Amino acid sequence: MISIVIKDIEHIREAAREFIEHIGDRRVFAFYGKMGAGKTTFVKAICEELGVEDVITSPTFAIINEYTLNTQHSTLNTPQIFHFDFYRIKKLEEVYDMGYEDYFYSGALCFIEWPELIEEILPDDAVRVSIAEQEDGSRVVSF
């Protein structure tokens, strides 16, 4: 297991760079953590470090946001990132209806918030990432 400490918000970009070093050929990342743990903020920092120039926001209401990668990031071989937030999902059928397989198995990077709500359809090779707030306000990212 790998753990990355985010001391404070000023250090989130360096933590994102460290996370990116471990992506390898994995494509689906399920982010677990309590409300306010920093899942969206960390995904935003990862996207920014990968060269996404779009405005990066939480997909809470849209459920999914699509970002285009700056193609100069040669190690990933994908031009897209799909960022999901399943917090508002009421039934798994909603995820089936949106065609989740087209995203999860596309070869694009998929960052999933609130994966516990769709656990049974997560790909077997999804990387489970935990973000936990510590007493001192720092965050620990484990995967």
Side-chain angles (χ1 to χ4, degrees), residues 57-67 83-89 94 98 103:
T57 59
S58 172
T60 300
F61 294 100
I63 298 177
I64 178 170
N65 286 347
E66 179 178 350
Y67 308 120
H83 180 194
F84 299 87
D85 183 334
F86 289 119
Y87 183 73
R88 297 175 58 84
I89 290 293
E94 295 174 61
M98 67 182 276
Y103 299 105

Side-chain angles (χ1 to χ4, degrees), residues 27-130:
R27 290 294 173 260
V28 179
F29 296 84
F31 288 83
Y32 296 83
K34 293 180 179 174
M35 181 76 72
K39 298 179 294 293
T40 301
T41 305
F42 191 58
V43 168
K44 181 178 192 254
I46 294 167
C47 290
E48 289 170 348
E49 286 300 314
L50 287 172
V52 170
E53 294 172 2
D54 304 322
V55 175
I56 302 162
T57 59
S58 172
T60 300
F61 294 100
I63 298 177
I64 178 170
N65 286 347
E66 179 178 350
Y67 308 120
T68 302
L69 275 177
N70 178 338
T71 53
Q72 294 174 345
H73 209 288
S74 59
T75 58
L76 296 175
N77 296 322
T78 178
Q80 294 174 303
I81 295 175
F82 296 116
H83 180 194
F84 299 87
D85 183 334
F86 289 119
Y87 183 73
R88 297 175 58 84
I89 290 293
K90 301 281 187 269
K91 298 182 304 221
L92 208 50
E93 287 74 32
E94 295 174 61
V95 185
Y96 288 122
D97 290 346
M98 67 182 276
Y100 78 94
E101 292 164 308
D102 294 340
Y103 299 105
F104 290 2
Y105 300 102
S106 66
L109 281 174
C110 293
F111 297 133
I112 303 166
E113 296 184 48
W114 299 103
E116 44 277 83
L117 299 175
I118 62 150
E119 198 76 46
E120 60 204 68
I121 60 171
L122 277 178
D124 292 338
D125 62 351
V127 178
R128 285 158 169 77
V129 182
S130 169

